[in-house]
Amino acid sequence: MDKQTFWQLIETARADVAADPAAEQGADREAVAVRAAELLAARPEAEMLAAQQVLWDLLAESYRSPLWAAAYMINGGCSDDGFDYFRGWLLTQGRAVFDAALADPDSLAEHPAVRGAAAEGLELEDEEALSIAWTAYENATGRELPSDSFTIGYPPLDPAWDFDFDDEAELATRLPRLSALFGDS
């Protein structure tokens, strides 16, 4: 499994969830992750193992201060775990949204779920997304995913973004569209 195949898995899961007439839009934020795990469980064991590394590589790519600031603003705060869960949510939005958010976290202000979160005071996170491969492997094999089958390595955070994310004026300068949505929340 490579990144392209992983993203195809996410897109198929998204399409399956969207096509489900029983699913309420936005009602189950974890539905895409659950469906992705089901799809992955039908693949060979080696692909499930490889998917875990791809997932953590994508999480490492998204471990960026500007995105953390955006998550902090969107969710009204964001701990270390909260940032992981936010990035899990971001993964389940598909490659185009993920890539756009990495290039410009302020672009999330145009995402319908982000706009809905601003209007309704919701948090955007998906812890289940972090265990897509783990769940698939366990469901398919009856065993836990071997801990030595993947590595997690995060890059250092950008020191230019080392400021208090409660500083609304600084966030308004750096993330103006998100600030317009969430600045007074």
Side-chain angles (χ1 to χ4, degrees), residues 7 10 17 23 27-28 32 37 48 64 88 101 140 153 183:
W7 283 122
I10 295 296
V17 168
D28 184 356
V32 173
M48 289 182 268
R64 300 178 180 189

Side-chain angles (χ1 to χ4, degrees), residues 47-57 130 133-134 145 150:
E47 285 191 45
M48 289 182 268
L49 292 170
Q52 181 72 350
Q53 187 61 59
V54 171
L55 185 141
W56 284 101
D57 288 348
L130 304 180
W134 187 277
L145 190 103
F150 62 98

Side-chain angles (χ1 to χ4, degrees), residues 69 72-73 76-78 161 163-172 183 185:
Y72 190 92
M73 188 176 289
C78 192
W161 282 77
F163 64 92
D164 184 352
F165 291 163
D166 284 323
D167 183 341
E168 291 183 20
E170 186 67 27
L171 284 175
S185 13

Side-chain angles (χ1 to χ4, degrees), residues 71-94:
Y72 190 92
M73 188 176 289
I74 291 166
N75 286 343
C78 192
S79 66
D80 293 351
D81 288 346
F83 188 42
D84 286 344
Y85 306 155
F86 176 83
R87 289 178 296 134
W89 170 82
L90 187 60
L91 276 171
T92 64
Q93 301 311 296

